[in-house]
Amino acid sequence: MAQISTLPKVKRHLVTSALPYANGPLHIGHIAGAYLPADTYVRYLRLRGEEVLFVCGSDEHGAAITIRAKKEGISPKQIVDKYHELNKDSFTEFGIDFDIYHRTSSELHHKVAAEFFTDLESKGAFEKKVSKQYFDKEHNQFLADRYITGTCPKCGHDKAYGDQCENCGSSLNPEELIDPISTLSGATPVLKETTHWYLPMGKEEDWIREWIANGNYKGHHHHDPALWKKQVVGQCLSWIDGKLGDRAITRDLEWGVKVPLEGAEGKVLYVWLDAPIGYISATRQWALENGKEWEPYWQDGDTSLIHFIGKDNIVFHCLIFPIILKLKGDYILPQNVPANEFLNLEGKKLSTSRNWAVWLNDYLKEFPGKQDELRYVLTSIAPEFRDSEFTWKDYQARVNNELVAILGNFVNRCLVLTDKYFEGVVPPSAVLSKAEKAVFEEVHNNIASIEESIEAFHLRDGLISVMNIARTGNKYLAEKEPWKLIKENKEQTAIVLNTALQISAILCSVMEPFMPHASIRLRAMLNIPPLEWDQLIKELPLKAGHQLGEASLLFQKVEDAVIEKQIEALQIRSTEQKETNTNQKPKYVDFETFSQMDLRVATVVAAEKPEGSKKLLKLEIDLGGEKRIVMSGIAEYYSPDEVVGRQVTVLSNLAPRKIMGIKSQGMILMAEDDKGKLVFVEPSEKIVAGAKIS
């Protein structure tokens, strides 16, 4: 093979997957984003004989945990205990093979995180400042970022959080949100003074720009920027170009790692300082349990550190955490951060609040022993460079038309025919003809493609090359027709089946990173031990006279009824959740408050899509002799031509605010239909523009 491995020449590899919040079960979007790609990469490294440590754990702090606890009426500890075990068990059953799955509520993690903060504080890394932060007067508490929602100032998404818009991935501060709302009371919060420690990120702009763009910082922490995904580098440089401000790294909360300083009562570490340190505490816990040293994994330049994450975590892993590590000193920076985009479901965005999701623990119960079918499908559609979509019909088609009809069919024919003609013993192979040599050359070229793809984090392409080996085997059998050849030439039939069996043994290894459970089953059928990666090209894996195991179906077809059941169940769950959300007790306002709202009918006279926005339309509206500009997040549902001339309901006395640099004067009122589409609230018949609604 011509391919030369591009793996960094290091002593060891440290691979992390983003710590999932222990506030709910895992869904396929989580798995496709940060966990399955990491596991595939780690399994490949191990097959190559590399030393690798794979760490993860539950993120058990932050507002998401306390919000779930309030919702269920139990303590945060009860929440994290429940979901830590559920997710840990789901990962194990699915075959995500962590060396350790730790938790940030552990005593060791609290100790490590507190030490990090104290050391950074002593080095002058932080600035202590008094600032105004949002406060919920009804609940008498300051609001952490995730306790505040509002409209994103950058994309117009109306459900952005105080620290981040999960729609466009932008990093935010709560004060940037348009029309902020407290998730505790539903009321508009007020700004109140409080004291916090800040990370002055702006001071680090020069070196981190050099590191992101060119792969080095003063000769240290080299990486090849060409191997990073363009969207990751692009996002990082965009944030740096927009100037990195001061980031508060403490919060007014009771649940979390306590700030270890006098006068900091009631304050905890910001979860995005706390959580990445969880990778370090997990490494230290693993070292304690296994009699190893943890320092080489984090402080030796001969270690390659890889963070697998979703795109919403790029800012934290590529900017904030590297800045923290650099300020701490003696810590390596990541070699790569292969962030994935988002996975959608059946034409809509995955939504935990609407129960529009395929939950991993539910899948494992309803499809026992079918872990690799889901692993295969999720890798096939992995959102590596753009958002992608999972549908149950596509799942069925990929399992039936690819796993069953191509891969499963090939290895089954090899084993069944060998059992029939040679009593289950690998037949002898004479000197290979041009046909066999050409087949092995094609197989070896695909092995090279698998190496190249996995090492570049293009796992979809790697899986295609695995399937191409099976296709090569199927084509070879179809051309040679051993079921006919046996009647004329048993010696030639032996060569054909020997070649096909060698391909099956090679498949057994190259599919292992992607489908480990099926690989184990195939290995049992072939009655062979695990093969090292280099064996696949240096020698043929099977010797003549080797006794094979018993053949069985590697994969089974998925019937229509199974898929229809899943689609129906998804719709029912989503409908039930929507009804639950709708029937929640409303937050009442008095008549005086309502009477202050000036609702009017307006006519849309012009509309256009602002450059750089997927969600927003810039509308010019007529309010009865007065023209205004209103920015509205409806571009996913309506084109500019579809809204011009329509009459709409407008909250006309909403305070003006800038969205994407455009002054917006009002809000168009919309409703959501039973399919989740936004529809206009408009009069049943045309009336005078500017008419007041009362």
Side-chain angles (χ1 to χ4, degrees):
M1 291 190 301
Q3 170 64 19
I4 299 174
S5 175
T6 58
L7 284 174
K9 305 300 181 185
V10 293
K11 287 183 179 178
R12 67 193 70 78
H13 302 261
L14 175 60
V15 178
T16 75
S17 283
L19 308 187
Y21 278 132
N23 69 327
L26 300 158
H27 59 58
I28 56 172
H30 299 131
I31 300 304
Y35 307 104
L36 182 55
D39 185 73
T40 303
Y41 182 70
V42 165
R43 288 177 181 275
Y44 169 75
L45 291 179
R46 288 171 177 158
L47 278 173
R48 295 302 303 256
E50 299 282 329
E51 181 187 335
V52 56
L53 180 64
F54 187 18
V55 305
C56 192
S58 292
D59 181 352
E60 299 179 320
H61 298 138
I65 306 297
T66 51
I67 288 171
R68 186 64 182 246
K70 284 180 182 291
K71 191 174 181 180
E72 296 193 14
I74 56 180
S75 71
K77 186 177 187 309
Q78 287 173 296
I79 287 288
V80 299
D81 286 347
K82 172 183 176 180
Y83 289 111
H84 172 76
E85 292 302 325
L86 174 65
N87 292 340
K88 183 180 180 182
D89 291 345
S90 295
F91 276 135
T92 300
E93 187 176 349
F94 192 58
I96 307 295
D97 193 17
F98 300 120
D99 287 292
I100 183 169
Y101 189 71
H102 202 222
R103 52 192 308 183
T104 60
S105 64
S106 73
E107 184 179 342
L108 176 62
H109 174 73
H110 277 245
K111 177 175 178 287
V112 172
E115 287 174 351
F116 241 80
F117 178 89
T118 303
D119 187 53
L120 289 167
E121 167 69 6
S122 69
K123 291 177 177 177
F126 304 135
E127 293 179 1
K128 186 179 178 182
K129 296 195 297 185
V130 176
S131 64
K132 288 187 175 181
Q133 293 193 0
Y134 281 122
F135 185 84
D136 189 320
K137 291 194 289 187
E138 196 169 309
H139 284 259
N140 194 36
Q141 72 175 69
F142 283 99
L143 297 172
D145 301 338
R146 292 272 160 158
Y147 277 106
I148 310 167
T149 60
T151 300
C152 175
K154 300 182 181 179
C155 74
H157 180 58
D158 62 356
K159 292 181 176 62
Y161 290 109
D163 63 342
Q164 184 179 30
C165 175
E166 294 188 347
N167 180 63
C168 67
S170 295
S171 174
L172 301 172
N173 286 313
E175 295 78 11
E176 295 179 88
L177 288 178
I178 299 164
D179 301 327
I181 293 173
S182 166
T183 61
L184 293 180
S185 64
T188 300
V190 298
L191 288 169
K192 185 177 178 180
E193 283 192 349
T194 184
T195 301
H196 282 293
W197 284 259
Y198 285 76
L199 176 65
M201 295 171 62
K203 294 180 179 179
E204 314 300 323
E205 283 183 4
D206 290 343
W207 78 263
I208 204 160
R209 182 194 300 277
E210 171 67 14
W211 177 68
I212 291 288
N214 300 316
N216 67 81
Y217 165 64
K218 291 184 179 177
H220 300 288
H221 309 302
H222 286 283
H223 69 79
D224 184 351
L227 298 177
W228 283 44
K229 293 184 179 182
K230 290 182 180 178
Q231 67 265 33
V232 174
V233 173
Q235 276 197 39
C236 291
L237 294 180
S238 175
W239 280 315
I240 297 169
D241 289 342
K243 299 301 179 185
L244 300 177
D246 296 347
R247 188 92 184 192
I249 46 83
T250 58
R251 291 291 186 267
D252 290 294
L253 283 172
E254 288 299 322
W255 179 254
V257 177
K258 307 297 182 188
V259 175
L261 297 174
E262 287 188 21
E265 291 75 18
K267 298 186 189 296
V268 300
L269 300 188
Y270 174 39
V271 70
W272 276 110
L273 172 65
D274 161 23
I277 294 172
Y279 301 137
I280 300 171
S281 62
T283 306
R284 289 178 64 164
Q285 184 64 43
W286 170 84
L288 283 171
E289 293 174 1
N290 292 274
K292 305 280 188 178
E293 294 182 342
W294 69 269
E295 290 89 348
Y297 291 92
W298 285 98
Q299 298 178 342
D300 186 344
D302 233 355
T303 298
S304 170
L305 171 62
I306 308 289
H307 294 309
F308 282 87
I309 58 170
K311 69 176 178 182
D312 52 332
N313 288 341
I314 291 174
V315 64
F316 306 110
H317 286 78
C318 297
L319 298 177
I320 297 177
F321 192 42
I323 287 173
I324 291 294
L325 293 175
K326 180 255 185 184
L327 292 172
K328 184 75 167 67
D330 300 326
Y331 277 75
I332 61 172
L333 301 186
Q335 190 82 19
N336 208 322
V337 185
N340 274 349
E341 303 292 298
F342 291 152
L343 183 71
N344 297 320
L345 172 62
E346 299 285 355
K348 300 179 188 177
K349 290 183 178 179
L350 279 155
S351 171
T352 56
S353 62
R354 290 188 289 110
N355 207 354
W356 190 255
V358 176
W359 303 104
L360 181 60
N361 59 313
D362 286 345
Y363 176 88
L364 293 170
K365 289 175 188 172
E366 296 175 34
F367 293 83
K370 308 293 183 186
Q371 298 97 325
D372 283 359
E373 283 83 343
L374 184 57
R375 288 177 68 110
Y376 178 83
V377 172
L378 291 181
T379 303
S380 299
I381 61 172
E384 292 176 340
F385 300 101
R386 62 190 63 85
D387 291 357
S388 60
E389 182 174 14
F390 177 95
T391 71
W392 279 110
K393 287 290 186 183
D394 181 63
Y395 170 93
Q396 180 187 30
R398 289 180 186 275
V399 172
N400 293 352
N401 301 337
E402 297 170 22
L403 288 182
V404 174
I406 298 173
L407 178 54
N409 180 56
F410 170 65
V411 298
N412 186 257
R413 284 202 292 178
C414 293
L415 288 157
V416 169
L417 291 174
T418 303
D419 186 62
K420 183 176 181 179
Y421 302 144
F422 297 98
E423 298 180 335
V425 173
V426 176
S429 177
V431 177
L432 299 181
S433 69
K434 284 185 178 179
E436 282 72 41
K437 289 179 179 177
V439 164
F440 281 121
E441 182 178 2
E442 190 169 344
V443 168
H444 290 159
N445 286 337
N446 273 299
I447 294 174
S449 295
I450 295 168
E451 292 179 8
E452 182 178 13
S453 298
I454 294 179
E455 291 173 18
F457 308 103
H458 300 171
L459 304 182
R460 287 175 70 156
D461 291 344
L463 186 56
I464 289 171
S465 296
V466 171
M467 293 302 292
N468 282 343
I469 293 176
R471 289 185 174 93
T472 298
N474 268 323
K475 182 183 176 185
Y476 174 72
L477 283 182
E479 290 173 350
K480 294 298 182 180
E481 298 182 309
W483 46 90
K484 291 182 181 178
L485 188 62
I486 189 68
K487 299 172 184 176
E488 305 166 5
N489 191 329
K490 188 170 183 177
E491 183 178 336
Q492 192 62 39
T493 304
I495 294 174
V496 170
L497 288 179
N498 182 291
T499 300
L501 287 168
Q502 304 294 352
I503 296 172
S504 294
I506 289 169
L507 273 169
C508 189
S509 285
V510 298
M511 66 190 276
E512 197 278 335
F514 302 94
M515 295 174 282
H517 305 87
S519 176
I520 290 171
R521 293 197 299 273
L522 179 53
R523 194 184 306 139
M525 294 182 210
L526 294 171
N527 190 28
I528 58 174
L531 303 174
E532 293 181 7
W533 192 267
D534 289 346
Q535 286 180 263
L536 305 180
I537 54 171
K538 289 181 179 177
E539 58 186 71
L540 295 178
L542 297 174
K543 304 299 182 187
H546 172 73
Q547 178 65 55
L548 300 172
E550 186 176 343
S552 62
L553 293 177
L554 196 57
F555 302 101
Q556 295 181 324
K557 286 187 69 174
V558 180
E559 302 298 334
D560 290 345
V562 173
I563 295 304
E564 288 162 7
K565 177 185 174 184
Q566 292 302 318
I567 295 172
E568 183 181 0
L570 179 62
Q571 296 287 353
I572 290 171
R573 289 198 309 269
S574 180
T575 301
E576 289 175 345
Q577 187 64 50
K578 188 171 183 179
E579 290 174 354
T580 299
N581 294 343
T582 302
N583 293 331
Q584 287 178 347
K585 186 177 179 180
K587 175 68 179 176
Y588 293 107
V589 297
D590 56 35
F591 181 76
E592 183 181 353
T593 301
F594 171 73
S595 65
Q596 294 174 14
M597 299 173 67
D598 188 5
L599 299 173
R600 294 183 181 269
V601 174
T603 302
V604 180
V605 295
E608 63 177 303
K609 202 167 185 180
E611 185 177 349
S613 175
K614 296 180 181 178
K615 297 264 187 179
L616 293 169
L617 286 185
K618 177 185 175 184
L619 307 178
E620 183 181 350
I621 62 171
D622 180 1
L623 274 167
E626 179 191 359
K627 300 285 180 66
R628 291 190 187 181
I629 298 297
V630 174
M631 302 291 281
S632 184
I634 58 174
E636 283 186 295
Y637 306 100
Y638 299 96
S639 68
D641 291 342
E642 289 178 297
V643 298
V644 173
R646 297 188 81 137
Q647 289 205 308
V648 297
T649 302
V650 180
L651 178 59
S652 65
N653 63 337
L654 183 69
R657 75 268 196 200
K658 280 194 173 183
I659 300 177
M660 294 190 71
I662 301 170
K663 187 178 180 181
S664 180
Q665 296 175 285
M667 176 186 287
I668 307 295
L669 300 189
M670 307 292 291
E672 188 176 294
D673 67 13
D674 58 357
K675 295 181 180 177
K677 179 183 177 181
L678 293 179
V679 294
F680 287 102
V681 179
E682 53 191 334
S684 57
E685 58 186 54
K686 193 146 189 163
I687 60 175
V688 177
K692 186 176 175 65
I693 298 172
S694 58

